[in-house]
Amino acid sequence: MSGGTARSGGTGLPVRHQRVLARGRGAMGRLMRHEGALAVSLLRWVARRPAHGVGPGDTAVGYASAQAVTMWVAVFASVVETVVLALLVPWPLVHLLALVVGLWSVFFALGHHAACTVRPHVVGADGSLRVRYGALLDVRVPAECIAAVRLERRFPEGGLLRLGEDGTVDIAVAGQTTVTVELSGPVMFRRPLGRAARASRALRFHADDARAVATALERAVRGRKAAVSGEWEPVRRKGIRCGDT
C-alpha cells in the first residue's frame, strides 16, 4: 500500500477503481446478453417457432398487442431516419456511422417487439406465474405465493417498472396494468439493469387477455385447495419456492 490508497489483486489499481471496472464489466455483460436475447427472439419470431418458456399444460398470455402500434411507428421512424441520413450525409465516415446506428435502431425495435411477442406471460400447470416483458424482465411467482387474483385496469405513474413503498410492483405496458395478483409471500426478481428487487404485497401487470390469466390462476387455486383435502395432487415445479431469492 502506498500513499494511503488501498490496492489489491494483480492490477495495481486502487480498490475503488477495481469496483468501478467490475460494475462496468457486469453492465457490459448484461447488455450483450440482452442483445443476444433480442437476436434469438427475432429469429424465433420470423421462423414462427413456439413461444419461449411455455411447457405442456401451461397457459401463455400475450401482452405485446397494447404497444404494437408504438413499436411499428418506432421501426418506421428508424427506417426513414436511416434512409434520409444515407442520402444527406456526404462524409463517408459519418455516413457509415449513421448507417450502423440506424440499422441497430431498426434491429433493436424489431427485436424488442419480437421478444415481447415470443416471451409471453405464463401460468404454469402447477399454478405458478411467470410475468415477463421482452428480454428485460422475468418475474417468477411460485404457486404458493399467490393469494388472490383480480381484474382491474390501472394507469400507474412512471415507466415500465414501478416499485411501491408498500411492496406493490407495477409492470406496465402502454402505461397500464390489467391484472392484480395479491401475494402471500415475498417474490424476488431482477430489474432491467440487474439490481435485485422484491414484491411482497401485490404484483400488477398487463395482459392482452386478462381474463385468461385470472381463469388459469383461479383454477390452480381451486386445485391447491382440493389438494389440502386430499382430493387432488398438484404438479410441483422444481427450483423455486415462495420467498426464494
Side-chain angles (χ1 to χ4, degrees), residues 86-141:
L87 294 176
L88 295 182
V89 176
W91 304 284
L93 180 58
V94 178
H95 182 280
L96 178 61
L97 291 176
L99 179 62
V100 170
V101 171
L103 291 176
W104 180 84
S105 298
V106 174
F107 159 76
F108 184 85
L110 283 174
H112 179 64
H113 178 67
C116 289
T117 301
V118 304
R119 293 169 177 258
H121 304 317
V122 181
V123 179
D126 61 347
S128 61
L129 174 65
R130 189 175 184 181
V131 178
R132 300 191 280 190
Y133 184 75
L136 290 173
L137 271 176
D138 191 347
V139 183
R140 298 171 182 260
V141 185

Side-chain angles (χ1 to χ4, degrees), residues 65-86:
S65 296
Q67 64 181 15
V69 173
T70 303
M71 286 292 116
W72 286 116
V73 168
V75 171
F76 178 76
S78 297
V79 172
V80 171
E81 180 183 27
T82 302
V83 173
V84 169
L85 289 176

